[in-house]
Amino acid sequence: ESIYNNILHSISKDERLLAVLIDPDKMKLKGLSDFMMKLNNSKATHVFVGGSTVEDKITEVLVIEIKKHTKLPVILFPGDVTQVTNEADALLFLSLLSGRNPDYLIDKHVKAISKLRGSKLEVIPTGYLLIENGKETSVQRVTQTKPIAKNDIQLVVDTASAGELLGMKLIYLEAGSGALHPVSENIIKAVKQEIKIPLIVGGGIKSIEQLENAYKSGADIVVIGTAFENDKSFFDKLKK
Ligand code: 1GP
């Protein structure tokens, strides 16, 4: 069964999915086994791997190590083509729908094909929407795009809906890694009402309360990275 089908199946049973994001730029191989042990004992259901500014090859080495430590699906969440590796289980094939930079709407995707041809990676087309959170995020800096204003809920909803109609299988609402404020409950609710495909929410979630709020508002998968990097005891609050 494919990872995407498993996601649909879990959602149909009202399960809450939690992806732990590992940024190859920040994760040291030395600390990995300890981190993975905590992750395995937590409610995490997926491991995402990716970052905005990762050096060539580092992602592949890290994914190989992560796979040795967990049975959870490992999904690439790449900031660039260099982070695509066949060692992972799946790839979020992200199109930055909030922006108007053709590189991140289609060009990087064309360049990734030579790596994907013949590979067993499960490719999951994902509409990626960056939402303003009060400070400039690295997604914004690297992609040279503007996020959608947080009070323009209609534009967020219309953009998500356009992604669904283009055939994307997931919508990802992103406040940016380390965001001061996560994506608001109003935005999550409005998007959830409009689309039928699964909704991912991430960026700036660092408390159990914020995590619960995201689920209650309609997030199917919540992504957390920084909170686990900065506070190892956060895993303890999310024990199985
Ligand atoms: C970033 O949505 C992810 O792309 C997670 O963000 O690091 O703030 O948890 P945090």
Side-chain angles (χ1 to χ4, degrees), residues 8-235:
L8 293 180
H9 186 67
S10 301
I11 292 170
S12 74
K13 291 192 298 180
D14 272 336
E15 284 171 19
R16 294 171 159 192
L17 302 175
L18 174 65
V20 175
L21 174 63
I22 300 181
D23 184 341
D25 242 1
K26 296 178 191 154
M27 176 58 71
K28 301 267 174 298
L29 282 180
K30 227 172 58 188
L32 187 69
S33 84
D34 186 45
F35 187 90
M36 292 306 296
M37 203 165 72
K38 291 196 149 123
L39 191 156
N40 286 328
N41 288 324
S42 77
K43 289 178 179 157
T45 55
H46 295 79
V47 180
F48 281 9
V49 180
S52 297
T53 55
V54 181
E55 273 177 59
D56 212 7
K57 291 283 174 231
I58 288 188
T59 306
E60 183 159 283
V61 174
L62 183 65
V63 169
I64 293 171
E65 283 308 307
I66 291 171
K67 293 287 294 175
K68 288 182 191 162
H69 289 284
T70 189
K71 292 192 176 70
L72 295 177
V74 176
I75 303 179
L76 297 172
F77 170 55
D80 200 62
V81 184
T82 55
Q83 294 170 42
V84 176
T85 161
N86 291 321
E87 300 293 334
D89 301 305
L91 162 73
L92 298 187
F93 208 39
L94 302 165
S95 195
L96 183 60
L97 301 181
S98 54
R100 294 296 177 267
N101 181 347
D103 287 358
Y104 292 88
L105 285 163
I106 182 63
D107 188 62
K108 302 273 182 190
H109 314 72
V110 175
K111 294 197 165 110
I113 295 301
S114 61
K115 280 192 160 186
L116 296 176
R117 191 169 283 128
S119 109
K120 288 200 198 80
L121 262 184
E122 181 179 334
V123 178
I124 309 175
T126 303
Y128 189 51
L129 281 68
L130 183 63
I131 317 290
E132 174 211 349
N133 82 88
K135 69 166 192 180
E136 198 195 46
T137 61
S138 54
V139 182
Q140 207 176 328
R141 185 166 34 77
V142 172
T143 64
Q144 293 290 305
T145 63
K146 272 193 286 193
I148 299 180
K150 61 173 180 288
N151 54 13
D152 200 345
I153 297 186
Q154 195 60 52
L155 182 58
V156 179
V157 169
D158 290 355
T159 305
S161 188
E164 180 173 39
L165 292 178
L166 279 167
M168 286 163 189
K169 291 184 167 176
L170 297 170
I171 293 294
Y172 191 140
L173 298 178
E174 170 72 277
S177 192
L180 292 177
H181 309 288
V183 177
S184 76
E185 293 167 34
N186 289 343
I187 291 179
I188 300 173
K189 280 181 192 154
V191 171
K192 184 63 186 176
Q193 265 189 8
E194 179 90 0
I195 62 168
K196 291 192 184 70
I197 51 177
L199 180 59
I200 309 183
V201 175
I205 295 174
K206 41 194 172 306
S207 71
I208 299 296
E209 195 190 348
Q210 288 171 327
L211 176 65
E212 288 293 323
N213 283 343
Y215 287 130
K216 272 185 214 144
S217 309
D220 297 303
I221 306 177
V222 173
V223 186
I224 301 182
T226 309
F228 292 119
E229 288 161 15
N230 292 350
D231 174 15
K232 292 286 170 320
S233 72
F234 195 56
F235 274 123

